Amino acid sequence: MTDLSIPTVRNASPHEDPRPDPSAVAAALAAAENREPINVDQAVALLHCAGDDLTRLQSVAGAIRDEGLAAIGRPRQVTYSRKVFIPLTRLCRDRCHYCTFVTVPGKLARAGEGLYLELDEVVDLARRGAELGCKEALFTLGDRPEGRWPQAREWLTERGYSSTLDYVRAAAVAVLNETGLLPHLNPGVMSLEELRRLRPVAPSMGMMLETTSRRLFTEKGQPHYGSPDKDPLVRMQVLRDAGAARVPFTTGILVGIGESMRERAESFFAIADAHAGSGHIQEVIVQNFRAKPDTAMRSTPDAEMTEFLAAVAVARIVLGPHMRVQAPPNLVSPAECAALIASGIDDWGGVSPLTPDHVNPERPWPNLDALAARTAESDFVLTERITAQPSYVLAASEWIDPALADHVGALSDPETGLALDTRPVPLPWPAVA
């Protein structure tokens, strides 16, 4: 197992559970090693692992991951999606205390930027991404900005759109028809009706759960206070509705935003429960908090690496061998990438050769050759996928809207569901309405 001499000092929450007795940690580790289902109390114990216990925990998580990959005929593969970021709007009605992506109309005006990207700007970004071999167009934006900003409502109305989500759909159609890239829509909270309306224009969608802790939403001063779309009850309903809509869906948690170990564990079990009902959660992101200047949480310590690695490993154990578990490679060092692989990840998520990570612009993407080398150092092969995970591509009749069948088929291998190496993206495609 990779030895990084990782410090064990913890960034404790004031609401933290008592540190478990060593015998409880040992019992939880033994249960995981024996492939026994663990409960929340045992997951909490495992989240406290450090030192030799963490090494042992990583070994269990890595073995579970390896068993799952072998079962689907993809041993020793870590996947990624070559994508272009499309920041459709940086306006939002929420006020998360750690976010630098979101801004206000006045700042956009002073910078000479529009409230939203125009359709020609969206298509231009996607086309340039296609020239570099991208297959995914990741739409990032704030939640329903027209609910907070009259200027956003006016912008949409002037162009004939009833809402930001209405515009998201139009932008996705433009990308599909003009470039062939596959939209992955990440517009925040969506209703069941909205998910169904967007399904014919996007093979996958996503929304980070972030946490099930309502304390972080209801208590003044906490990171989600004043953000109506960050109520965990609302976000859990989105996860369930995505299953009802048969949408391959990405979700995940943020580690280190003030949640306790128990709240962290409960978040993993909540995701597992949502997935058990419909089988639609295509990947779970475990993302470490990184403090940013000019935010209310700028002085909050970053997620401590020992805790982060334990969280990744526990996610793997709770979610099992067949879930794709993902961590962003640009938020850690090269050595820590090896530790993430050791902890049970099998996906790096989207990596762009063109656009920055607009949510974490201070953390550039690794060069894809460098990421392949880092992955190879852990005896894994970096393998490209499309925006929908391979198992959903292979079961396209159940998961992919018929309107997208040719688009998905043009970019994916029918035998594996993985990405084809197509540069430029093949033309033509049937128009999507």
Side-chain angles (χ1 to χ4, degrees):
M1 193 62 59
T2 304
D3 180 10
L4 297 178
S5 300
I6 295 168
T8 58
V9 177
R10 294 181 51 257
N11 171 25
S13 162
H15 292 263
E16 187 57 89
D17 311 280
R19 181 176 290 277
D21 185 271
S23 63
V25 175
L29 278 169
E33 287 171 333
N34 293 330
R35 303 296 190 270
E36 298 169 8
I38 65 170
N39 59 31
V40 171
D41 289 337
Q42 290 170 311
V44 171
L46 294 177
L47 286 168
H48 283 86
C49 282
D52 290 343
D53 285 340
L54 177 59
T55 300
R56 192 173 157 195
L57 178 68
Q58 290 174 294
S59 180
V60 175
I64 291 172
R65 180 264 325 279
D66 293 346
E67 292 162 10
L69 288 175
I72 59 173
R74 287 175 38 209
R76 313 304 291 179
Q77 287 187 356
V78 175
T79 45
Y80 80 102
S81 175
R82 191 186 297 247
K83 71 181 177 187
V84 58
F85 267 87
I86 298 180
L88 197 64
T89 179
R90 294 177 58 206
L91 300 179
C92 184
R93 70 175 180 175
D94 295 327
R95 297 172 171 85
C96 298
H97 296 184
Y98 46 75
C99 181
T100 56
F101 175 75
V102 168
T103 187
V104 299
K107 286 186 177 180
L108 289 172
R110 288 191 292 274
E113 298 177 21
L115 300 179
Y116 293 77
L117 293 181
E118 299 282 358
L119 286 182
D120 59 346
E121 295 176 298
V122 171
V123 170
D124 178 65
L125 269 176
R127 185 172 287 123
R128 287 190 285 139
E131 291 169 356
L132 295 174
C134 294
K135 298 166 187 65
E136 173 185 346
L138 172 62
F139 284 76
T140 54
L141 58 149
D143 269 271
R144 304 179 192 273
E146 68 273 23
R148 177 181 176 188
W149 301 108
Q151 302 97 315
R153 170 73 64 187
E154 292 165 7
W155 190 98
L156 293 164
T157 300
E158 286 171 0
R159 289 158 178 80
Y161 300 106
S162 61
S163 67
T164 294
L165 287 178
D166 189 27
Y167 185 52
V168 167
R169 192 183 194 285
V173 168
V175 165
L176 282 164
N177 289 341
E178 298 296 328
T179 75
L181 264 64
L182 302 172
H184 175 83
L185 305 182
N186 206 22
V189 168
M190 294 169 278
S191 68
L192 177 56
E193 179 182 354
E194 288 163 340
L195 285 159
R196 286 174 171 159
R197 175 161 167 72
L198 291 171
R199 186 177 186 269
V201 303
S204 63
M205 301 182 220
M207 181 203 69
M208 291 288 279
L209 173 62
E210 299 192 9
T211 179
T212 53
S213 173
R214 293 202 82 237
R215 174 178 61 83
L216 301 188
F217 169 71
T218 60
E219 293 183 9
K220 190 173 183 179
Q222 294 296 336
H224 292 154
Y225 185 79
S227 298
D229 300 291
K230 292 304 176 78
D231 184 343
L233 298 180
V234 171
R235 295 177 91 77
M236 282 303 303
Q237 186 60 50
V238 175
L239 294 193
R240 290 188 289 269
D241 285 344
R246 310 306 287 166
V247 172
F249 207 74
T250 299
T251 191
I253 74 160
L254 293 180
V255 176
I257 57 172
E259 79 285 7
S260 70
M261 293 288 196
R262 179 163 295 275
E263 290 165 337
R264 196 175 295 168
E266 289 170 346
S267 299
F268 290 134
F269 280 92
I271 292 171
D273 182 65
H275 179 68
S278 301
H280 64 296
I281 305 295
Q282 67 161 2
E283 58 201 9
V284 173
I285 304 168
V286 186
Q287 181 171 327
N288 51 323
F289 168 76
R290 290 284 191 177
K292 296 176 176 60
D294 302 322
T295 68
M297 293 180 68
R298 59 187 174 276
S299 299
T300 302
D302 288 351
E304 199 278 318
M305 189 52 58
T306 296
E307 282 193 12
F308 181 42
L309 295 176
V312 171
V314 171
R316 169 58 68 195
I317 290 167
V318 171
L319 297 166
H322 302 299
M323 179 60 72
R324 307 282 72 84
V325 176
Q326 178 188 129
N330 61 316
L331 301 185
V332 296
S333 71
E336 289 162 349
C337 282
L340 288 171
I341 293 176
S343 300
I345 71 154
D346 54 15
D347 193 271
W348 291 123
V351 179
S352 181
L354 176 66
T355 50
D357 177 352
H358 289 284
V359 178
N360 299 283
E362 78 286 359
R363 308 287 301 191
W365 296 114
N367 174 276
L368 286 170
D369 289 338
L371 186 60
R374 292 180 197 176
T375 306
E377 288 170 1
S378 295
D379 196 28
F380 280 76
V381 177
L382 185 67
T383 306
E384 188 182 0
R385 61 171 174 85
I386 64 170
T387 179
Q389 286 281 352
S391 61
Y392 297 87
V393 175
L394 294 175
S397 61
E398 180 181 358
W399 292 104
I400 307 297
D401 192 273
L404 296 171
D406 289 337
H407 292 76
V408 170
L411 300 179
S412 59
D413 186 320
E415 299 296 323
T416 66
L418 293 163
L420 292 172
D421 188 6
T422 56
R423 294 185 222 182
V425 178
L427 286 165
W429 321 271
V432 172

